[in-house]
Amino acid sequence: MATTLTNTNSVSDSVEQAFAQRAPRSLWSDARRRLLRNKAAVAALLYISFLIVVAIIAPLLALHNPLDIFQNNSYRQAAWITVPNRPEASGSWAFPLGTDAIGRDVWSRLVYGTRTSLVVGFVPMVFTLFLGTVIGLVSGFFGGAVDAFLMRFAEIVYSFPAFLFFIIVMTALKDTPIGKFWNGFVILFGALSLVGWVGVARLVRGQVLSLKEKEFIEAARAIGVRQHNILFKHLLPNSLGPIIISGAFIVPGAIIAEAVLSYLGIGLRPATDRNALFPVSWGNMILDGKAAITAQPWLMIAPAISIASITLAFTFIGDGLRDALDPREAN
Amino acid sequence: MLQFIIRRLLWAIPVLFFVALVSFFLMHQAPGGPFDKDNNKKQVDGATLASLNRRFGLDKPQYINPAAASRLWASGERNPLTLGRAYLDSQFFNYVFNAMRGDLGPSYRQRGKNVQDIIFKQWPYSMRLGLLAMIFAVITGIPLGVIAALRQNSIVDYISLFFATIGVSVPTFVIGLLVIIFFGTTLKWISITNNDWNTWRPYLAPSLVLGLSTMSFITRITRSTVLEVKRQDYIRTARAKGLSERMVIVRHILRNAMIPVVTVLGPALVDLITGAVITESIFSIPGVGKFFVDAIFQRDYSMIMGSTLIYATLVVMANILVDLSYGLLDPRIRSQG
Amino acid sequence: MKRMNLRSSFIVALLLALVLPILAACGGTAPATAPTAAEAPTAAAAPTAAEAPTAAAAPTAAEAPTAAPEAGGSGPDKDGYLRMAESVWPDQLDPQKSSFSNEIAVLILNYEGLTRFDKDLKTVPGAAEKWESNKDGTEWTFMLRDGLKYSDGSPLTSKDFAEAIYHSLDPHNPGDYQQTFFMIKGAEDIINTVVPTDEGKLTDLKGKLGIATPDDKTIKFTLTQPTPYFPTIAGIWVAYPTKKASFESSETWWEDATKQIGNGPFQITKIDKATNLMEFKANENYWGGKPKIAGVRYQYIEDLAVALQAYKNGEVDVMTPDANDVPTIQADAVLGKEFKSYAGACTLGWEFNLLRPPFDNAKVREAFAYAFDREAFIRDALKNTNVKTLTWIPPGYPGYDANETRFDLDLAKAKQALTDAGYPDGKGLPEIKLTYSSNNPANQQRAEYLVQMYKNNLGIDLTLDPVESTTLTAMRKDPKTFPQLVRGGWCADYPDQQDWLSIFWHSRTEFAKNISYKDPEADKLMDAADVELDPVKRADLYQQAQVKIIGGLPMIIYGNSKNQFLIKPWVKGLDFTPQDSDEPGLITGLMNVTLGQ
């Protein structure tokens, strides 16, 4: 414990020295510098970039088209597994991770699934965090009637059965231009964000309620700092911790929710075109794998590892961001 | 504080009314009805359907019933109360009036039973499971998070990160099934069929499975806020004053770090005790989770309304408790809410 | 810097640690790999001994060297109960209000109708010893057996049967399947009575209902139309003699085991949701004598993968495996021998909406039928859970037509038909949506398989259209919204051609209306068959109708469902029939079942 203590002290000392010695740089360039110095965050960023590359060059990495069905090849095991007496189920390097229920290559589906899952993991996270943060900030900062109204509204949204809402949205919008827009991505993002923001908003509000009574906010007010400056320069950066954690947790949730919603016909339309950009997602694979957990375990394991790794990457980036944006931690 | 509680309880009335209205609207907009059978089955005959609708009051207008009121008016009725009641003799308001009396209406699937009977009979199972899961999540999540933050980048930190990643990205049905295969079939520590869910013992394994994802969120949130608080000036002041490390942690760090944790705990508890459908299904726990989910797909109208209203009530209460606890954790926040 | 290195190596370790438990898990969950090999010698050594309980015990014991708790075990239940794994706890157990197979699976053991079914699904005497009808089949008289008793010892009379049927019609609390009785004189008037407004008329209407009980042993039904299959209807669950004292005692009487007083071979003794258990003991008062086993226990396990574990642990004797696990089970040395698979009660197919283009064109339907590879679809997409068929009534049911060979896979004919229809090579076809119920992820794979099949075989592109299940049910109720192409089918309620043909394909029925199917000649044949009393002529008329219907191609019929079970070797004497959708052998009341030794 003693080391931690001295570390902290020396860190802040060096901050003071740093500020004393060099010309002030902007908050953001400082943050970027600090982020790039965090090895875990850099590794995570590299991993995400790698996934983006995989997503783009998926046709080169995939051995087959992800929609191609190989007759008589259902539930083939991963390449290194041999099943005694059942050559038709034993692994083959033509299908490195085996095949799914109707004989499609798991490896190729995994590679193509990167596309959908990156988009589906990232975009709703941004939407959800944005909505939740704004509402939480406003609610906590203004308090009183604004807070009461927004939070009661949040309670209503949180309580009514979202599934019913999705079913109706699907029935009503499926064949309209909105529903078909971007292969159904728009509806999907809307659905995922609408459900997710309440938790974030309440977290941010809680932070703001506590922060705005702290000395430094009172001091800022006393010296006449404008409201929006207090909101965005003081309250927001200091509420980032919970926001970032929520962000990292929204990613796997959204990837799985996408699959559940897609199966119900909400959001992504199942692809039938061999040239489709988003033919499959990891979430789809997980749900397919659920039925085959004994019959072909890699159908489940492969996407599960992928989702876990992407979650881990976002966690590291989040940790790095939080540290980088914290003006008290400079080194 | 009493004033605060009363104000918030009064707020609950419009919240619950709107939750009821929105749910009612949504469920009647969704195609299909409670008497629809599976696709390969014989559907209920038209005459029977009409009779069933009459039996359950589904032949009435949905929101208002001006026809009934004008019929009464024409027959010479002038009492505004009677006329008003006739005007509101609709599916929605009849439900609301009955619900206010504690009658949540008949279930359409479990013919002959009332929703409140089903809920109060089956809920204790879900409640036990959820409470145990919550206890597990809190007593492991918070300490793990605190240690992970105090010893950032230590092995404890990585272990907590490991569990957090597993807990959030491996689906419950996989973990549940693995637990059953490993502890049930291989080790034979738990029995698959021979469980009396009126006792506590069989809940042990499922509550760990259910609590895992909540635990990982609590761990990460605790870690993050403790890290934050650890760097604040007043902690350094407290240390400088010579307070013992334990005092610093418990008095200052924990107290100030608990606000986000408590915010999460409130709704998380509600979610856990109102029926975790996947965990209940894998371990065959006779809780309410399945009813609540199935009700939506079966269009069991009164079950949808009942479960939603109970859930909303719990959410409102949990949020009142959360906001109250803000005041306890940080006395300066007391005026809020 | 040093710390940083440590950190990155930790990340690698962490990722490994993440993978390892899953890998370990896969070792445990994939009996397809190593475990099969380990078990193989046991089976090879003792192929004959597999029947003996001791041999069956060996592999189980080998899997678990640690002492098994008493719940597990490798033999039959000590108390002589047959333990069957059921999946979903029934929503209700009132015979006159029930309609789901998990409800009927319970009622069929506890009750018996005037008639019952033998292992060939023939209608045979049940509570009634014999029956007769007038010449035109509009009056049916059933004579009950002597000395019939309920399981509690109280006498069972013809009035109990009459009251139970009225219980189904009662407008205060109508039963979902009451339309089964609409041919009884006066039944429709009762059901159309508005209560409580017209409460007064009800007594009068009840008096006019065409059910008479001149004495305790005779019950006579007067019908509005000739109904040759009436004795069959008298044997299904809606006609079970529920005791009036029970169903009048409260609306939830059915969850009280002491109120479930029946006349079937078994008697419910326990309905306990806290232990997921429903228990039956052999009924001493059953007219056919006490069954050979002491009783039956239904253990409700919702998840099939978990139920399989329970079966492996010896906690249940009978279970239905998940279709995805069947290949693994069949390859397993022990489980493979205990696996039983046979034809079931449903016929499945792809239904067309005959109103919406392009399927209003019979030639397009023909092209789709000829291009459909049933064998590949059943093998790959359905995991052999169906048996290929080209005809409507399934094998094992009266009216099965083994000679139907039309519309089997023939790509040349398919392409020709498509050209004849005016869409050579599929050019010019409007968008065709393949609609499926989205509540089961497997449906999507089946639909995707079909899409690729038509792409390969006909060069046609289909669009996938997942719809939530109840929404789909609602869409199917209106010809305007009925999907262009959707999976559908029919499952038998009772073994008679009328249930398969007149109830489904006659142009006045709901289904035929919804897909706009109308074949006046087939209608005429079915009308004639429905009132024909000569069984041979009647069967022939139905046969002609069936041939006509299949020729009209309102549906690509592809398969019959299968009943698939794992059954422990010590369970003997089960009568397997197509009707075993939930459990094997229920239709004959498990009368001949014994438990080894």
Side-chain angles (χ1 to χ4, degrees):
Chain A
M1 197 46 56
T3 47
T4 324
L5 196 64
T6 41
N7 270 349
T8 324
N9 284 338
S10 63
V11 163
S12 21
D13 289 346
S14 65
V15 175
E16 280 145 29
Q17 283 164 16
F19 271 102
Q21 283 166 10
R22 63 169 160 73
R25 274 183 292 198
S26 86
L27 177 75
W28 292 108
S29 75
D30 255 5
R32 194 176 60 230
R33 213 166 39 82
R34 280 196 294 262
L35 182 65
L36 291 181
R37 220 181 284 162
N38 181 330
K39 293 246 162 118
V42 170
L45 276 173
L46 284 177
Y47 179 67
I48 299 284
S49 322
F50 166 72
L51 287 183
I52 293 174
V53 173
V54 168
I56 293 170
I57 62 161
L60 300 179
L61 295 172
L63 298 176
H64 309 281
N65 186 293
L67 295 180
D68 275 356
I69 292 165
F70 293 87
Q71 292 209 346
N72 252 327
N73 272 300
S74 306
Y75 287 145
R76 200 176 263 284
Q77 302 297 315
W80 55 92
I81 300 173
T82 29
V83 187
N85 308 326
R86 289 186 62 216
E88 81 281 1
S90 298
S92 136
W93 283 107
F95 308 106
L97 294 176
T99 58
D100 73 356
I102 53 178
R104 293 174 298 196
D105 181 33
V106 172
W107 164 253
S108 308
R109 290 174 76 71
L110 189 73
V111 168
Y112 272 91
T114 314
R115 291 179 171 177
T116 321
S117 298
L118 272 183
V119 176
V120 162
F122 189 72
V123 180
M125 174 186 80
V126 174
F127 280 1
T128 310
L129 291 186
F130 176 77
L131 255 180
T133 308
V134 170
I135 293 175
L137 277 178
V138 169
S139 184
F141 184 69
F142 293 103
V146 175
D147 180 42
F149 182 77
L150 283 175
M151 286 302 110
R152 297 306 83 76
F153 177 64
E155 277 164 2
I156 295 175
V157 172
Y158 195 76
S159 300
F160 77 75
F163 252 126
L164 269 182
F165 176 75
F166 293 153
I167 290 170
I168 293 156
V169 169
M170 172 211 65
T171 322
L173 296 182
K174 191 161 62 171
D175 290 324
T176 65
I178 312 174
K180 289 182 172 168
F181 197 51
W182 281 0
N183 207 27
F185 265 123
V186 176
I187 285 197
L188 179 72
F189 295 155
L192 290 176
S193 315
L194 187 106
V195 189
W197 66 266
V198 175
V200 182
R202 283 200 60 87
L203 267 175
V204 173
R205 168 182 173 267
Q207 281 294 84
V208 172
L209 284 184
S210 137
L211 286 168
K212 78 173 181 184
E213 308 297 336
K214 293 253 164 12
E215 293 80 358
F216 69 98
I217 301 291
E218 277 170 13
R221 273 205 187 124
I223 59 170
V225 177
R226 290 218 187 112
Q227 277 198 345
H228 67 263
N229 276 338
I230 295 185
L231 255 179
F232 293 107
K233 290 228 167 112
H234 296 279
L235 291 178
L236 178 59
N238 281 292
S239 315
L240 274 180
I243 298 178
I244 282 170
I245 301 286
S246 310
F249 274 70
I250 290 171
V251 173
I255 291 176
I256 305 240
E258 176 272 321
V260 176
L261 294 182
S262 296
Y263 270 126
L264 288 175
I266 301 142
L268 293 191
R269 345 196 93 221
T272 54
D273 178 5
R274 294 180 83 251
N275 300 317
L277 268 181
F278 298 98
V280 61
S281 75
W282 292 345
N284 282 150
M285 296 177 70
I286 286 243
L287 292 195
D288 288 352
K290 177 186 188 261
I293 196 162
T294 52
Q296 214 286 62
W298 276 92
L299 187 50
M300 164 97 235
I301 298 171
I305 292 176
S306 308
I307 295 175
S309 67
I310 209 173
T311 309
L312 208 55
F314 275 109
T315 305
F316 282 137
I317 296 175
D319 280 359
L321 265 183
R322 210 261 332 278
D323 290 348
L325 290 173
D326 187 346
R328 283 181 300 268
E329 181 151 321
N331 235 340
Chain B
M1 193 157 95
L2 191 66
Q3 198 200 354
F4 167 81
I5 296 176
I6 291 171
R7 195 171 64 226
R8 284 293 290 271
L9 286 178
L10 285 177
W11 262 111
I13 296 169
V15 166
L16 290 180
F17 180 82
F18 276 106
V19 167
L21 188 62
V22 171
S23 310
F24 185 87
F25 172 79
L26 289 177
M27 76 190 185
H28 279 282
Q29 285 301 305
F35 307 116
D36 283 342
K37 306 278 179 230
D38 303 345
N39 286 320
N40 287 350
K41 294 283 287 190
K42 195 187 290 181
Q43 298 295 327
V44 173
D45 182 84
T48 307
L49 190 62
S51 179
L52 282 166
N53 281 339
R54 278 197 299 273
R55 154 89 170 83
F56 290 104
L58 294 178
D59 55 334
K60 299 216 165 114
Q62 288 185 353
Y63 302 96
I64 47 169
N65 195 348
S70 56
R71 224 178 298 125
L72 265 185
W73 179 268
S75 69
E77 178 65 53
R78 290 296 179 270
N79 181 346
L81 267 180
T82 320
L83 283 172
R85 185 65 189 87
Y87 189 73
L88 296 182
D89 181 18
S90 62
Q91 292 180 42
F92 178 67
F93 283 100
N94 284 345
Y95 181 85
V96 170
F97 293 141
N98 286 333
M100 288 195 302
R101 283 198 302 265
D103 176 8
L104 295 179
S107 162
Y108 296 90
R109 283 287 163 149
Q110 305 185 48
R111 206 62 61 75
K113 287 196 190 178
N114 279 325
V115 169
Q116 68 267 27
D117 303 335
I118 299 170
I119 288 178
F120 289 115
K121 204 160 180 190
Q122 308 302 332
W123 201 2
Y125 303 112
S126 300
M127 196 102 80
R128 264 184 225 147
L129 174 68
L131 280 178
L132 276 180
M134 194 65 181
I135 291 171
F136 159 69
V138 168
I139 61 170
T140 51
I142 293 181
L144 209 56
V146 171
I147 298 171
L150 293 181
R151 311 218 168 147
Q152 206 183 349
N153 302 324
S154 72
I155 191 153
V156 179
D157 194 8
Y158 289 110
I159 288 175
S160 82
L161 182 59
F162 171 68
F163 275 110
T165 311
I166 294 259
V168 75
S169 50
V170 181
T172 312
F173 56 76
V174 179
I175 299 179
L177 202 55
L178 294 185
V179 164
I180 284 197
I181 290 171
F182 190 65
F183 292 103
T185 306
T186 312
L187 292 181
K188 303 217 184 271
W189 286 0
I190 57 174
S191 167
I192 298 169
T193 55
N194 206 11
N195 293 318
D196 183 353
W197 297 101
N198 283 329
T199 58
W200 284 93
R201 224 181 61 88
Y203 288 94
L204 205 61
S207 64
L208 296 191
V209 171
L210 176 60
L212 195 60
S213 72
T214 309
M215 182 211 105
S216 42
F217 197 51
I218 292 178
T219 310
R220 297 296 299 165
I221 278 277
T222 309
R223 175 182 177 277
S224 150
T225 46
V226 168
L227 272 181
E228 195 103 343
V229 173
K230 201 174 89 175
R231 296 170 187 150
Q232 302 284 350
D233 301 335
Y234 56 84
I235 299 299
R236 282 165 60 195
T237 319
R239 282 211 172 94
K241 277 197 300 193
L243 280 179
S244 79
E245 195 58 33
R246 182 187 294 188
M247 283 294 275
V248 172
I249 293 171
V250 173
R251 265 273 181 77
H252 294 275
I253 296 189
L254 259 187
R255 209 177 166 142
N256 280 288
M258 275 304 105
I259 284 185
V261 178
V262 167
T263 312
V264 174
L265 285 186
L269 180 63
V270 178
D271 285 339
L272 288 180
I273 63 169
T274 48
V277 62
I278 294 172
T279 314
E280 287 179 5
S281 155
I282 285 186
F283 290 91
S284 296
I285 302 170
V288 288
K290 184 181 147 50
F291 295 138
F292 287 3
V293 173
D294 282 357
I296 289 175
F297 293 107
Q298 298 172 340
R299 311 288 192 270
D300 191 341
Y301 291 148
S302 23
M303 184 57 110
I304 297 178
M305 293 294 284
S307 59
T308 309
L309 281 180
I310 285 184
Y311 183 76
T313 311
L314 289 172
V315 168
V316 168
M317 308 268 247
N319 283 340
I320 295 179
L321 287 179
V322 168
D323 287 351
L324 275 178
S325 68
Y326 287 169
L328 295 178
L329 289 169
D330 188 346
R332 282 170 300 190
I333 311 183
R334 188 162 293 170
S335 55
Q336 288 304 322
Chain C
M1 261 346 261
K2 204 175 166 193
R3 204 182 70 186
M4 278 307 176
N5 277 339
L6 191 67
R7 186 170 178 165
S8 37
S9 64
F10 251 116
I11 295 164
V12 177
L14 204 65
L15 278 172
L16 273 179
L18 194 69
V19 176
L20 283 177
I22 305 176
L23 285 177
C26 116
T29 54
T33 57
T36 325
E39 279 163 22
T42 334
T48 44
E51 277 162 30
T54 39
T60 328
E63 274 172 28
T66 45
E70 50 184 331
S74 46
D77 177 61
K78 294 191 299 292
D79 311 327
Y81 274 64
L82 175 66
R83 301 161 303 174
M84 298 173 129
E86 275 277 296
S87 177
V88 181
W89 189 269
D91 277 340
Q92 53 135 349
L93 293 169
D94 181 333
Q96 274 70 41
K97 317 291 169 194
S98 295
S99 59
F100 291 93
S101 69
N102 60 336
E103 296 159 1
I104 296 159
V106 174
L107 299 171
I108 201 171
L109 290 180
N110 199 52
Y111 294 95
E112 180 181 60
L114 290 165
T115 60
R116 61 177 305 128
F117 307 104
D118 68 4
K119 63 182 194 314
D120 303 317
L121 297 184
K122 289 210 175 62
T123 306
V124 294
E129 197 172 20
K130 53 185 197 280
W131 56 87
E132 59 192 34
S133 77
N134 64 351
K135 242 194 290 170
D136 59 357
T138 54
E139 281 178 27
W140 290 86
T141 312
F142 294 80
M143 269 70 73
L144 270 58
R145 292 174 194 275
D146 281 326
L148 282 180
K149 277 182 192 162
Y150 276 112
S151 55
D152 66 344
S154 57
L156 166 65
T157 70
S158 55
K159 289 196 179 56
D160 292 309
F161 284 93
E163 286 296 344
I165 290 174
Y166 182 76
H167 177 49
S168 166
L169 299 173
D170 188 357
H172 294 96
N173 191 3
D176 289 13
Y177 254 33
Q178 55 181 204
Q179 72 246 45
T180 317
F181 300 121
F182 278 9
M183 78 288 272
I184 299 177
K185 217 178 92 198
E188 289 210 56
D189 295 332
I190 292 180
I191 198 59
N192 287 326
T193 308
V194 179
V195 284
T197 330
D198 297 331
E199 189 79 55
K201 295 182 192 161
L202 220 47
T203 332
D204 185 36
L205 286 173
K206 194 177 174 185
K208 284 188 190 152
L209 185 66
I211 306 177
T213 49
D215 59 58
D216 279 355
K217 280 187 61 190
T218 314
I219 182 164
K220 185 179 165 195
F221 297 89
T222 311
L223 313 178
T224 55
Q225 62 184 61
T227 312
Y229 54 90
F230 193 77
T232 305
I233 283 184
I236 65 177
W237 72 97
V238 268
Y240 289 159
T242 320
K243 217 171 154 66
K244 192 176 184 184
S246 288
F247 68 70
E248 283 196 336
S249 63
S250 83
E251 288 210 37
T252 55
W253 65 273
W254 44 264
E255 58 178 348
D256 180 353
T258 61
K259 296 261 167 61
Q260 285 279 11
I261 300 161
N263 62 333
F266 290 88
Q267 168 193 352
I268 298 182
T269 49
K270 193 190 224 179
I271 303 178
D272 184 12
K273 220 171 162 178
T275 50
N276 292 303
L277 205 61
M278 206 136 351
E279 215 165 72
F280 305 76
K281 74 165 198 221
N283 178 9
E284 288 170 14
N285 290 318
Y286 184 57
W287 61 264
K290 204 174 150 186
K292 290 176 187 151
I293 42 174
V296 181
R297 222 171 264 145
Y298 281 174
Q299 183 73 50
Y300 288 82
I301 308 173
E302 237 174 69
D303 195 293
L304 291 185
V306 176
L308 180 61
Q309 296 301 320
Y311 179 84
K312 284 185 184 167
N313 291 356
E315 296 182 41
V316 293
D317 297 327
V318 179
M319 67 93 46
T320 308
D322 187 301
N324 288 301
D325 293 335
V326 166
T328 319
I329 287 171
Q330 282 172 321
D332 188 285
V334 178
L335 296 180
K337 289 206 186 67
E338 299 170 1
F339 179 69
K340 176 98 186 156
S341 167
Y342 51 98
C346 305
T347 299
L348 299 145
W350 297 97
E351 298 166 353
F352 298 114
N353 183 343
L354 306 190
L355 203 65
R356 292 166 73 176
F359 296 122
D360 51 346
N361 185 335
K363 279 287 171 191
V364 177
R365 300 203 297 272
E366 201 181 309
F368 270 69
Y370 277 127
F372 185 66
D373 186 346
R374 293 171 178 76
E375 272 149 42
F377 183 76
I378 288 171
R379 180 192 62 224
D380 291 342
L382 298 179
K383 302 274 154 289
N384 287 318
T385 48
N386 280 13
V387 192
K388 178 185 164 180
T389 187
L390 294 166
T391 187
W392 176 238
I393 299 179
Y397 283 85
Y400 171 64
D401 176 9
N403 300 322
E404 180 62 72
T405 53
R406 287 173 294 170
F407 306 117
D408 204 351
L409 178 68
D410 189 334
L411 291 185
K413 278 190 188 163
K415 287 188 178 124
Q416 185 55 44
L418 203 57
T419 313
D420 294 348
Y423 306 105
D425 295 325
K427 279 189 202 72
L429 275 174
E431 185 192 24
I432 299 171
K433 271 194 196 166
L434 172 59
T435 306
Y436 55 92
S437 155
S438 57
N439 290 33
N440 177 3
N443 285 344
Q444 177 156 333
Q445 295 172 342
R446 291 167 191 160
E448 284 170 332
Y449 192 90
L450 196 73
V451 167
Q452 180 152 343
M453 184 184 278
Y454 279 118
K455 178 86 189 154
N456 292 345
N457 291 359
L458 278 184
I460 293 176
D461 286 311
L462 305 181
T463 316
L464 292 178
D465 179 31
V467 173
E468 182 262 343
S469 155
T470 310
T471 307
L472 181 57
T473 305
M475 284 168 72
R476 294 171 61 108
K477 285 188 170 174
D478 182 349
K480 284 195 278 301
T481 54
F482 195 99
Q484 283 170 297
L485 188 58
V486 65
R487 198 169 78 109
W490 185 242
C491 301
D493 284 320
Y494 44 86
D496 190 89
Q497 290 98 319
Q498 184 266 351
D499 181 45
W500 280 94
L501 297 166
S502 318
I503 282 194
F504 202 79
W505 292 115
H506 196 288
S507 63
R508 67 167 174 259
T509 63
E510 284 302 308
F511 176 77
K513 274 190 218 156
N514 292 340
I515 66 163
S516 309
Y517 174 74
K518 188 179 169 77
D519 182 342
E521 287 178 51
D523 280 0
K524 227 181 277 166
L525 288 164
M526 287 185 278
D527 284 337
D530 285 351
V531 298
E532 176 61 56
L533 290 177
D534 177 351
V536 180
K537 271 193 211 157
R538 183 166 178 264
D540 182 55
L541 287 168
Y542 277 131
Q543 169 58 19
Q544 291 178 40
Q546 181 171 228
V547 169
K548 278 237 168 312
I549 292 163
I550 292 167
L553 263 177
M555 181 192 273
I556 307 174
I557 298 164
Y558 64 72
N560 298 120
S561 60
K562 265 191 198 169
N563 300 322
Q564 299 189 310
F565 301 102
L566 276 168
I567 302 167
K568 291 284 185 193
W570 52 79
V571 181
K572 302 250 167 59
L574 288 168
D575 289 324
F576 300 106
T577 75
Q579 284 286 61
D580 301 341
S581 61
D582 268 50
E583 301 290 354
L586 293 185
I587 200 117
T588 53
L590 304 174
M591 285 300 286
N592 300 318
V593 174
T594 54
L595 293 175
Q597 279 143 334

